[in-house]
Amino acid sequence: MYRWETTQAVTAQRVFGIIRTAGPDEAVIAAEAVLDAGLHAVEIALTTPRALTALARLAETRPDALLGAGTVIDAAAARAAIEAGARFLVSPSLHPEVIRAGHRYGVPVFPGVATPTEMVHALEEGADALKLFPASAVSPAWLRDVRAALPQAPLLPTGGVTIDNAPEWIAAGAVACGIGSALTSGGAPSTGERVGTLLRRLANSR
């Protein structure tokens, strides 16, 4: 895929899963639960011990999944994640070298931003979409106001997004939301139920 095609695919369902666990085995189990429940895109946070091991295992067993790496904050981590199978990169903050590294290998990058100034800077650096982080610090109304001034900003609220408020973020203009523990806590059966509920709510809110 081209970068823009991957970005479209990651955001098509209006949500992607975020996996942050105590180790690679737990990460694989959590990611598989999210994917089996119907989500197409999932991010493995590099704060997970041996996260690249989990990413490589998933890339081998789930070749059709849209696997990403999160918490990527330098070019070395970006390249390592891509070599392990990441098809998109996400950062909690803005690191131009991560954007350059991702683009060098045809991989889209979603850096973290928290203000309109950072959004514009990230767009100028070539970001493919913008991770609004932490979303819990603002509100859907705030996002709506920002997008009135920056309608070209493709925003991905992450951090504090829940099944209940995700439709509000989408209605305010977010292209998709990143959701972690609100989806994955409680094991595979609970994850499946939450993902199904979330997808139905997002479909009804469009």
Side-chain angles (χ1 to χ4, degrees):
M1 288 185 177
Y2 293 108
R3 287 196 339 254
W4 66 267
E5 291 178 303
T6 301
T7 302
Q8 281 190 335
V10 170
T11 59
Q13 290 181 298
R14 305 298 191 205
V15 61
F16 59 93
I18 301 172
I19 306 301
R20 182 178 288 105
T21 63
D25 293 339
E26 297 92 333
V28 169
I29 291 170
E32 288 180 335
V34 169
L35 294 168
D36 289 341
L39 279 190
H40 300 156
V42 62
E43 161 200 332
I44 307 297
L46 295 190
T47 49
T48 295
R50 298 175 62 203
L52 296 181
T53 298
L55 190 55
R57 284 168 56 185
L58 288 164
E60 183 175 354
T61 60
R62 303 284 182 134
D64 295 329
L66 291 163
L67 302 173
T71 327
V72 181
I73 59 175
D74 56 46
R79 178 169 178 173
I82 293 168
E83 289 178 344
R87 297 170 65 182
F88 63 97
L89 304 177
V90 186
S91 302
S93 44
L94 175 58
H95 303 279
E97 68 270 27
V98 173
I99 297 175
R100 288 194 294 270
H103 288 183
R104 187 174 296 125
Y105 299 103
V107 173
V109 181
F110 312 149
V113 296
T115 68
T117 299
E118 292 177 352
M119 293 174 194
V120 172
H121 187 189
L123 291 173
E124 290 172 343
E125 293 290 347
D128 300 277
L130 310 176
K131 172 180 175 176
L132 175 60
F133 181 79
S136 58
V138 290
S139 68
W142 181 90
L143 184 147
R144 185 179 292 107
D145 289 342
V146 168
R147 290 202 72 256
L150 297 174
Q152 74 275 28
L155 293 166
L156 311 170
T158 305
V161 179
T162 67
I163 294 173
D164 292 328
N165 65 25
E168 298 176 29
W169 288 105
I170 298 302
V175 295
C177 296
I179 304 183
S181 59
L183 283 182
T184 60
S185 61
S190 297
T191 295
E193 292 176 6
R194 293 190 187 107
V195 170
T197 297
L198 176 59
L199 292 177
R200 286 191 298 272
R201 289 182 180 179
L202 291 176
N204 291 334
S205 68
R206 293 185 186 182

